Amino acid sequence: MSAVAMDFLQKYAPVVADQFVSMNATQTQNTLYGDVNLEALNWLERTWASYYIWMGNPVLATGVMSFLLHEIVYFGRAIPWLIIDAIPYFHQWKIQPDKHISKEQIWKCTKVVLLTHFTCELPLIYAFHPICCYFGMATYEVPFSSIGLMAAQIAFFFVFEDMFHYWAHRGLHYGPFYKNIHKLHHEFSAPIGLAAEYAHPLEVLILAQGTISGPFLYCLFRKDLHILTVYIWITLRLWQAVDAHSGYDFPWSLRHFIPFWAGADHHDYHHMAFTNCFSTSFRWWDFSLGTDAKYHAYKKRLAAAKANQRAKIEAEEHERATQEGLEAERLVLMGGPNNIEKIKIGTGKKQ
């Protein structure tokens, strides 16, 4: 940071200025790792400590690493799906093969996502380190948690996020919330991976609570969570979100091996039909509360179709689901705050 900018911050926002002050390597090592034998650590742990020593400021180090992780993982997972969509061979596994995304839509989606990342998420990510410290989460500390502990913590985060997302997502389909917040995300009736975070800033903030509140809630009861575990969790969560919006269901997709995994097959139907399949990772909330009735009826009709008629039946079913979805959306937009309750979740028809 330039001297002029630092002088300005020190004069008008000294608390913020303190976050940008860096120590030299010796000071950093003595401050952060004075009682740690770095030579006794494994390669990854030594590299982790070296990064924090090199940065000289743990708040800045965590902020930079968190933001870069988010951008690299998100776009690193989304761009391959754009490449796959451009290769005709893979279209045999495209869930809605009759719908195609234009270059203009991709560019608009990219601009909105980047704008949200830099104006909405970046400031919060930069504040991540102080918040982690407040809740007692380890950040620069080494060594890391055991693999078994990491796995158990991540499993809890998945279950918590899925519960939070289900109810928050259903809430966003409530009249004014849908009209003013969630409608932007539903511009893609046949989603693409890049559109996973194509959403209103308020929606990004609301649904992000499911991802990050799990770790903080865990820290209220146990003090053995390391930020590396959270980074692994966020990586897996981003992969899941992007893949769920990919628009493709391959024979090797995870849902074919884990029956309760939602995947693109499940979430793509939500974008197409509007009223069903609100969950993210797992299917059990939708199944338990009947908010996947239309989806199962649709899958049953496809399964009953003869092989030589499947393509025709599938196209008809997609058109039917799309039209019912448009009508359900119209009722929500037209009817105000109470009209969402007038739509039968299982049928998409007005009572």
Side-chain angles (χ1 to χ4, degrees), residues 332-351:
V332 171
L333 293 172
M334 179 184 67
N338 297 317
N339 204 60
I340 187 67
E341 302 299 331
K342 298 178 182 179
I343 301 172
K344 290 183 178 180
I345 295 296
T347 65
K349 297 179 181 178
K350 194 172 180 181
Q351 288 182 327

Side-chain angles (χ1 to χ4, degrees), residues 15-32:
V15 175
V16 176
D18 290 343
Q19 306 304 315
F20 290 95
V21 175
S22 295
M23 301 175 285
N24 61 42
T26 302
Q27 290 176 314
T28 305
Q29 183 166 344
N30 291 336
T31 301
L32 302 184

Side-chain angles (χ1 to χ4, degrees), residues 258-271:
I258 304 178
F260 53 82
W261 185 256
D265 172 76
H266 192 259
H267 192 68
D268 201 277
Y269 187 82
H270 173 76
H271 277 262

Side-chain angles (χ1 to χ4, degrees), residues 252-295:
W252 55 87
S253 292
L254 194 57
R255 77 168 186 98
H256 296 289
F257 305 95
I258 304 178
F260 53 82
W261 185 256
D265 172 76
H266 192 259
H267 192 68
D268 201 277
Y269 187 82
H270 173 76
H271 277 262
M272 179 169 57
F274 183 76
T275 57
N276 264 216
C277 304
F278 296 96
S279 297
T280 52
S281 299
F282 309 117
R283 297 173 180 242
W284 48 56
W285 280 103
D286 280 303
F287 180 78
S288 299
L289 298 174
T291 50
D292 59 356
K294 278 184 65 179
Y295 165 78

